[in-house]
Amino acid sequence: MNENLFASFIAPTILGLPAAVLIILFPPLLIPTSKYLINNRLITTQQWLIKLTSKQMMTMHNTKGRTWSLMLVSLIIFIATTNLLGLLPHSFTPTTQLSMNLAMAIPLWAGAVIMGFRSKIKSALAHFLPQGTPTPLIPMLVIIETISLLIQPMALAVRLTANITAGHLLMHLIGSATLAMSTINLPSTLIIFTILILLTILEIAVALIQAYVFTLLVSLYLHDNT
């Protein structure tokens, strides 16, 4: 109970060197591949899920937007596997670090915005000033729309960080309460342990949903600029 509540969010080191890079590179190794003409059930299910996800995200895009399909599918797989691996005991979740989430959000957002300014600059600039705006409100609306545009990558990163961090903290607190109650009251321990199991199932769902939401919002930003 005296353990630091935020100890699991500290980036691990090996011989004084940061191990976060190795942890980030580890999830892609878990994705199975096949060199055979006929795939097994695992590969078939994996390909079906990838096709289903890419179809849902790419349906609304034009030809130029669909060139991002490989990047977006890779992004959702990476975030989902990283979040799920972070639920294992004594593991580190890179997506709890705001710096890493910003490193994913800012380049993708910037690429989509730059593409919009290059391909259809008039439509991109029109977002800053809605049609029919009264003249006295034009400067204020331009400032508000500019701020709302610049805050998009921050909102992406903070949303992912907050949801994953909150779930980990809640699991840590309930797990500590279960250990503390195990020597005091067995019926209460069973109730708390049941809550912990249900919370773990919920966190698995949250890990997958947050990966989908992050990628879907990037896809929507891309759709607005292509």
Side-chain angles (χ1 to χ4, degrees), residues 64 68 106-121 124 149 221-222 224-226:
K64 183 177 293 186
W68 284 49
I106 292 177
L108 293 170
W109 167 83
V113 172
I114 292 173
M115 180 181 293
F117 277 103
R118 289 186 60 185
S119 60
K120 48 177 187 179
I121 186 169
L149 177 66
Y221 297 155
L222 177 64
D224 292 338
N225 291 279
T226 54

Side-chain angles (χ1 to χ4, degrees), residues 1-225:
M1 293 295 290
N2 294 327
E3 182 184 355
N4 183 5
L5 191 61
F6 296 92
S8 59
F9 303 114
I10 300 176
T13 57
I14 300 176
L15 300 177
L17 300 176
V21 177
L22 298 177
I23 297 174
I24 292 172
L25 295 177
F26 180 69
L29 300 178
L30 301 178
I31 306 299
T33 57
S34 176
K35 299 180 181 178
Y36 301 101
L37 182 61
I38 301 178
N39 298 324
N40 56 29
R41 294 178 181 179
L42 178 61
I43 301 294
T44 303
T45 304
Q46 172 188 302
Q47 292 177 349
W48 175 77
L49 289 174
I50 291 175
K51 289 180 181 179
L52 179 63
T53 305
S54 60
K55 182 179 180 180
Q56 288 183 347
M57 289 190 297
M58 293 292 112
T59 302
M60 58 183 174
H61 289 283
N62 55 19
T63 304
K64 183 177 293 186
R66 290 177 182 178
T67 57
W68 284 49
S69 59
L70 180 60
M71 182 183 298
L72 295 179
V73 170
S74 301
L75 179 66
I76 190 173
I77 292 175
F78 171 74
I79 297 177
T81 52
T82 303
N83 290 345
L84 291 176
L85 288 175
L87 295 175
L88 297 176
H90 305 288
S91 61
F92 173 71
T93 312
T95 48
T96 58
Q97 306 296 310
L98 182 60
S99 57
M100 175 181 167
N101 295 335
L102 284 173
M104 291 190 297
I106 292 177
L108 293 170
W109 167 83
V113 172
I114 292 173
M115 180 181 293
F117 277 103
R118 289 186 60 185
S119 60
K120 48 177 187 179
I121 186 169
K122 291 184 179 180
S123 177
L125 292 176
H127 288 294
F128 292 95
L129 189 61
Q131 188 176 4
T133 303
T135 304
L137 296 179
I138 289 179
M140 183 181 299
L141 280 179
V142 171
I143 294 174
I144 292 174
E145 291 296 329
T146 303
I147 294 175
S148 66
L149 177 66
L150 296 177
I151 207 173
Q152 287 178 351
M154 178 64 72
L156 270 178
V158 171
R159 181 185 294 106
L160 179 59
T161 304
N163 282 282
I164 301 301
T165 303
H168 282 58
L169 287 175
L170 192 56
M171 290 178 62
H172 179 82
L173 289 172
I174 295 180
S176 300
T178 304
L179 290 176
M181 293 293 295
S182 61
T183 58
I184 301 174
N185 192 331
L186 184 58
S188 299
T189 304
L190 294 176
I191 295 174
I192 298 175
F193 184 70
T194 303
I195 296 174
L196 180 60
I197 294 176
L198 295 176
L199 180 62
T200 303
I201 297 174
L202 177 63
E203 283 304 308
I204 293 175
V206 169
L208 298 175
I209 291 172
Q210 288 304 314
Y212 180 75
V213 169
F214 188 96
T215 310
L216 180 63
L217 288 175
V218 173
S219 178
L220 291 176
Y221 297 155
L222 177 64
H223 175 66
D224 292 338
N225 291 279

